[in-house]
């Protein structure tokens, strides 16, 4: 069911439910640690349920992470308000799901956990990995299951709106008339070219442009830097691993790998839940087994009968196992099956299953030559990390103690390198790193002439730098920029010439006379386009947008005219000649179905937003006033 929520929740639903999952995980993890010692202050209360300051802080942090914002680049108060609104809406929705007596089966929760990618290794659920991952988030298994149950309950409410709406043929026809509308038009394009080449650009014009736009030719201040880089990769190159150790590790991995196999299975589940007894579920499974023996298709029966609706939509497929992903009775049944064979009814804690083995893959380990490089890197890794940590400490100490890079180079064997000019806007390579730029232009390095601290570029590289030369900002001399100015002036002249011609054409076209003569004079001609859709790429998109903004010629005495200037300076005059409404009949079956689904989803999202707004308006919400700033 969790996968169903992921697949079907979109738009507003995704933002309100799925977008909060990470925040909720972090939130409950923190509360489980500190909740027994102190009561966190409340920032809001929803129908008597408190939202604490801890919840708000975690929600705010996760919201900041999701949008990739730097704290200094965004209004913190605004982000906190958004995070609080999300928490309020989540609380309201969870309360509504509880009040509606919605339920999630243990089997659905188990399947959601098994299908979580963060808990899988090679596509197979790993229970040890799952426990370690939950512990890192501050979760125990029972706490995570309870949290997951709440989130899936909220997802049920959201999914009810996202998947239950529909659109009528009349509604689709109205949308198709607009979205599939096509237009016929013609246009004249006047690009910039060589119309002003006969007009010379004088030295006086160039000098005047230079005087009026000197800041345009200012070179920013820059630094020439020397630096040394400590690189974990270079340390690894200096470490040798005995061939015997590589061979031993290879044999260990091969023996472990080739002893395992992956089996892929499908199932039909008959849940023992509510009024359904174990005997009734077993009888239903036996009847289904008889239908399979009679020749009916397993996937069809799974879709018809299985209580596991998620796997049923995939023909009953429940994925792969290396012998430990599924409940033990299912694993035992799979061991006795051949490919495409179906088991007798199998009883587990989740109900009664019919299990089909669909793939049985024996694993074959690669040859030694194929994995030698990886094995060598693994054996080196701990030694390399230790050596890198020691060298990084030495680099940091030497950077502080010495007044040059030569001493560092001699003691650590790191070559001194030279940079190209680097401005405050950065350069290439390591000089695009904000931390490097901040250090280079710091008072300690730039003004006092010290080495920088050891700057960690990533987990495996660090750099120390010092300034060799500072270049003041200056304005380039006229003789260096004269060609650039000439190009700018010529471009402006061409732009003005194109506009003048375009205005002439518009006046003549509007007056209904003289247009043909002007077209011949300027060697221009109409370009016709027919049956153009809004999404067409037969012409510039700005031109097409302008075409679709014009009124229907059928409602006017003459064809509408318009003009626009494209970003590259091209002047375009266009005339709309005909509008053809769209229709469902003109669309393929796939296009009609896509439109139907999109409309149903949009309506579902709108209904859900309205439902949430109603819940909120009827809720008793008390928010704490923010403390005044001094």
């Amino acid at each position: 069911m969790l996968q169903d929520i992921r697949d079907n929740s979109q738009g507003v639903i995704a933002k309100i439910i799925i977008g909060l999952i990470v925040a909720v995980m972090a939130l409950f993890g923190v509360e489980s640690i500190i909740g027994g010692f102190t009561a966190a202050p409340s920032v809001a209360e929803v129908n008597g349920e408190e939202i604490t300051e801890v919840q708000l802080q975690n929600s705010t942090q996760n919201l900041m992470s999701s949008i990739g914002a730097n704290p200094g680049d965004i209004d913190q108060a605004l982000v906190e308000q958004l995070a609080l609104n999300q928490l309020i809406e989540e609380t309201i929705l969870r309360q509504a799901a509880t009040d509606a007596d919605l339920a999630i089966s243990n089997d659905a929760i188990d399947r959601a956990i098994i299908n979580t990618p963060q808990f899988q290794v090679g596509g197979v659920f790993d229970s040890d990995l799952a426990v370690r991952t939950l512990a890192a988030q501050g979760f125990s298994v029972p706490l995570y299951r309870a949290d997951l149950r709440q989130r899936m309950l909220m997802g049920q409410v959201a999914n009810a709106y996202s998947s239950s709406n529909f659109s009528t043929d009349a509604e689709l026809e109205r949308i198709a008339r607009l979205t599939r509308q096509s237009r016929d038009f013609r246009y004249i394009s006047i690009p910039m070219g060589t119309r002003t080449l006969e007009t010379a650009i004088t030295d006086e014009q160039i000098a005047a442009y230079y005087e009026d736009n000197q800041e345009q030719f200012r070179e920013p201040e820059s630094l020439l830097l020397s630096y040394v880089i400590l690189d974990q990769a270079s340390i690894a190159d200096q470490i040798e691993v005995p061939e015997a150790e590589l061979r031993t590790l290879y044999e260990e991995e091969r023996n472990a790998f080739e002893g395992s196999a992956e089996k892929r299975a499908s199932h039909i589940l008959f849940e023992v839940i509510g009024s359904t007894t174990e005997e009734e579920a077993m009888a239903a499974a036996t009847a289904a087994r008889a239908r399979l023996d009679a020749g009916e298709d397993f996937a069809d029966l799974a879709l018809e009968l299985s209580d596991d609706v998620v796997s049923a939509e995939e023909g009953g497929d429940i994925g792969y196992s290396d012998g430990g992903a599924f409940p033990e009775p299912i694993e035992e049944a799979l061991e006795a099956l051949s490919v495409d064979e179906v088991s007798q009814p199998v009883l587990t804690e989740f109900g009664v299953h019919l299990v089909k083995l669909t793939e049985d893959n024996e694993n074959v380990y690669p040859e030694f030559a194929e994995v030698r490089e990886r094995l060598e890197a693994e054996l080196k890794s701990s030694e390399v990390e230790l050596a890198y940590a020691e060298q990084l400490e030495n680099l940091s100490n030497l950077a502080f103690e010495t007044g040059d890079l030569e001493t560092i180079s001699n003691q650590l064997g790191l070559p001194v390198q030279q940079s190209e000019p680097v401005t405050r806007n950065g350069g290439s390579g390591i000089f695009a790193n904000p931390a490097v730029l901040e250090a280079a232009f710091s008072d300690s390095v730039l003004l006092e002439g010290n080495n920088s601290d050891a700057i960690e570029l990533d987990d495996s590289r660090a750099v120390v730098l010092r300034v060799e030369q500072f270049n003041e900002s200056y304005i380039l001399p006229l003789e260096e920029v004269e060609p650039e100015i000439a190009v700018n002036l010529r471009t402006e002249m061409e732009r003005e010439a194109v506009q003048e011609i375009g205005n002439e054409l518009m006046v003549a076209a509007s007056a209904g006379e003289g247009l043909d003569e002007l077209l011949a004079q300027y060697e221009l001609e109409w370009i016709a386009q027919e049956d153009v859709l809004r999404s067409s790429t037969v012409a510039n998109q700005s031109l097409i947008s302008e075409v679709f903004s014009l009124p229907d010629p059928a409602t006017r005495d003459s064809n509408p005219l318009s003009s626009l200037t494209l970003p590259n300076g091209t002047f375009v005059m266009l005339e709309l000649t005909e509008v053809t409404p769209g229709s469902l009949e003109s669309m393929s079956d796939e296009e009609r179905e896509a439109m139907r689904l999109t409309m149903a989803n949009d309506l579902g999202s709108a209904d859900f937003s309205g439902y949430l707004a109603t819940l909120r308006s009827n809720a008793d919400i008390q928010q704490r006033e923010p403390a005044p700033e001094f």
Side-chain angles (χ1 to χ4, degrees):
M1 295 185 73
L2 182 59
Q3 186 62 47
D4 191 41
I5 294 169
R6 291 180 181 139
D7 291 341
N8 292 288
S9 295
Q10 301 180 24
V12 174
I13 300 168
K15 295 176 183 176
I16 296 174
I17 304 302
I18 299 175
L20 287 171
I21 288 178
V22 175
V24 174
M25 288 181 67
L27 161 66
F28 280 88
V30 171
E31 283 193 326
S32 69
I33 297 173
I34 68 171
F37 298 97
T38 181
S42 170
V43 295
E45 188 175 291
V46 181
N47 295 324
E49 180 177 339
E50 290 187 345
I51 296 175
T52 67
E53 181 69 38
V54 172
Q55 290 175 292
L56 178 58
Q57 290 175 0
N58 281 278
S59 180
T60 300
Q61 291 172 2
N62 283 282
L63 183 57
M64 293 281 286
S65 298
S66 69
I67 62 179
N70 294 319
D73 298 336
I74 197 166
D75 186 343
Q76 185 73 15
L78 175 61
V79 176
E80 286 188 359
Q81 187 58 50
L82 291 173
L84 181 57
N85 284 336
Q86 287 183 335
L87 286 172
I88 290 172
E89 291 181 350
E90 182 211 19
T91 303
I92 291 171
L93 193 62
R94 178 164 42 78
Q95 291 173 346
T98 302
D99 293 342
D101 293 328
L102 298 180
I104 300 293
S105 69
N106 288 331
D107 179 57
I109 293 175
D110 289 330
R111 289 201 55 76
I113 293 174
I114 289 173
N115 290 328
T116 300
Q118 289 79 7
F119 301 158
Q120 295 177 350
V121 176
V124 178
F125 176 75
D126 187 308
S127 59
D128 290 337
L129 175 62
V131 172
R132 291 197 305 271
T133 302
L134 293 179
Q137 292 287 342
F139 273 99
S140 64
V141 173
L143 180 61
Y144 179 74
R145 289 177 63 87
D147 172 53
L148 182 58
R149 186 185 300 276
Q150 287 191 340
R151 287 187 279 118
M152 292 176 70
L153 282 173
M154 289 187 290
Q156 274 193 346
V157 178
N159 197 47
Y161 285 87
S162 67
S163 60
S164 63
N165 225 303
F166 64 93
S167 55
T168 66
D169 287 342
E171 290 172 327
L172 292 174
E173 183 65 37
R174 287 198 296 273
I175 294 175
R177 284 179 62 84
L178 180 62
T179 61
R180 300 294 296 183
Q181 179 191 100
S182 66
R183 298 195 167 200
D184 299 347
F185 64 95
R186 61 177 185 167
Y187 67 95
I188 297 168
S189 176
I190 313 173
M192 295 193 301
T194 58
R195 292 180 174 81
T196 65
L197 287 184
E198 295 181 358
T199 304
I201 298 174
T202 66
D203 292 340
E204 289 76 13
Q205 287 176 300
I206 292 176
Y209 187 96
Y210 179 76
E211 289 299 324
D212 293 339
N213 300 277
Q214 287 202 3
E215 286 301 317
Q216 181 178 329
F217 309 109
R218 178 177 293 279
E219 286 290 291
E221 59 185 10
S222 63
L223 304 177
L224 293 178
L225 301 164
S226 57
Y227 60 97
V228 293
I229 292 183
L230 177 64
D231 192 342
Q232 202 172 91
S234 62
I235 296 176
D237 293 339
Q238 300 170 16
I239 298 175
E240 294 185 3
V241 177
E243 191 74 9
E245 290 187 29
L246 291 173
R247 289 285 181 179
T248 299
L249 180 58
Y250 172 77
E251 293 298 330
E252 290 175 355
E253 288 194 359
R254 186 177 67 175
N255 292 338
F257 185 86
E258 293 187 344
S260 64
E262 278 191 335
K263 296 179 184 292
R264 187 172 189 175
S266 296
H267 81 156
I268 301 173
L269 172 65
F270 301 88
E271 284 187 325
V272 179
I273 190 172
S275 60
T276 302
T277 65
E278 182 179 310
E279 290 74 17
E280 290 171 334
M282 187 66 72
T286 302
R289 183 70 170 74
R291 292 173 63 181
L292 290 171
D293 291 340
E296 293 193 47
D297 183 68
F298 188 94
D300 292 339
L301 281 184
L303 190 61
E304 175 188 345
L305 302 175
S306 182
D307 289 325
D308 183 357
V309 294
V310 175
S311 68
E313 294 177 355
E314 302 296 331
D317 181 56
I318 52 177
Y320 293 90
S321 174
D322 61 356
F326 305 140
E328 186 174 347
I330 293 180
E331 297 287 359
E332 292 175 355
L334 289 174
E335 287 297 325
L337 296 176
S338 300
V339 175
D340 293 332
E341 187 179 1
V342 180
S343 71
Q344 295 298 324
V346 176
L347 178 64
T348 74
E349 60 184 298
F350 307 115
V352 179
H353 311 251
L354 292 178
V355 183
K356 179 180 180 180
L357 178 63
T358 57
E359 293 182 27
D360 191 358
N361 302 316
E362 286 291 339
N363 294 324
V364 178
Y365 201 63
E367 295 295 326
F368 176 74
E370 297 178 48
V371 297
R372 186 186 189 286
E373 185 176 344
R374 176 183 62 80
L375 296 175
E376 185 177 18
E378 289 179 1
L379 287 174
K380 285 183 177 181
S381 61
S382 59
E383 189 175 348
V384 168
E385 289 176 5
L386 179 60
Y388 177 75
E390 293 176 351
Q391 291 279 60
L392 180 58
E393 183 178 0
N394 292 335
L395 178 65
S396 298
N397 292 335
L398 289 171
F400 178 76
E401 296 168 358
T402 64
D404 57 70
L405 298 182
E406 294 299 331
T407 304
I408 298 176
S409 176
N410 293 334
Q411 294 197 25
L412 300 184
L414 305 175
V416 179
Q417 304 180 56
Q418 305 296 325
S419 76
E420 295 294 325
V422 177
T423 70
R424 291 183 184 272
N425 293 327
S428 59
I430 67 170
F431 300 107
N433 187 310
V436 172
L437 292 176
E438 182 179 357
F441 285 92
S442 67
D443 289 348
S444 174
V445 176
L446 176 58
L447 301 182
E448 299 172 16
N450 297 321
N451 292 336
S452 72
D453 293 333
I455 306 162
E456 295 191 57
L457 302 172
D458 48 46
D459 292 338
S460 62
R461 293 186 305 157
V463 63
V464 172
L465 52 85
R466 65 181 295 108
V467 173
E468 296 297 335
Q469 181 178 320
F470 172 72
N471 300 316
E472 293 278 2
S473 173
Y474 66 99
I475 295 174
L476 293 170
L478 175 59
E479 54 269 20
E480 288 189 28
V481 297
E482 186 172 348
E484 179 182 346
I485 293 175
V487 170
N488 291 345
L489 289 173
R490 181 66 66 188
T491 300
E492 189 59 35
M493 291 169 65
E494 285 291 322
R495 191 184 303 275
E496 292 174 358
V498 164
Q499 290 296 317
E500 289 177 4
I501 296 172
N503 292 336
E504 282 188 72
L505 296 181
M506 284 296 295
V507 171
S510 300
E513 57 184 28
L515 180 59
D516 291 340
E517 291 80 0
L518 287 174
L519 294 180
Q521 176 185 341
Y522 294 119
E523 299 180 347
L524 300 170
E525 60 182 16
W526 288 103
I527 301 172
Q529 297 287 353
E530 297 180 350
D531 298 325
V532 176
L533 300 174
R534 295 175 189 271
S535 58
S536 294
T537 58
V538 296
N540 184 282
Q541 193 58 49
S542 298
L543 189 157
I544 293 177
S545 297
E546 183 68 18
V547 167
F548 276 87
S549 71
L550 297 177
D552 190 339
T555 65
R556 299 169 63 90
D557 296 333
S558 60
N559 293 339
L561 282 171
S562 184
S563 67
L564 70 157
T565 301
L566 301 180
N568 63 2
T570 299
F571 182 95
V572 179
M573 183 178 78
L574 58 91
E575 179 185 37
L576 178 61
T577 57
E578 186 175 352
V579 174
T580 303
S583 66
L584 283 177
E585 288 73 17
S586 67
M587 302 171 63
S588 66
D589 292 342
E590 292 79 7
E591 289 174 328
R592 284 197 294 270
E593 183 61 22
M595 178 183 288
R596 187 184 303 277
L597 291 175
T598 298
M599 186 173 180
N601 180 69
D602 290 345
L603 291 172
S605 295
D607 287 349
F608 179 77
S609 296
Y611 171 69
L612 194 58
T614 300
L615 289 177
R616 182 159 186 158
S617 65
N618 293 333
D620 179 14
I621 302 173
Q622 304 292 331
Q623 295 188 44
R624 185 195 70 192
E625 292 296 327
E629 297 183 0
F630 297 98

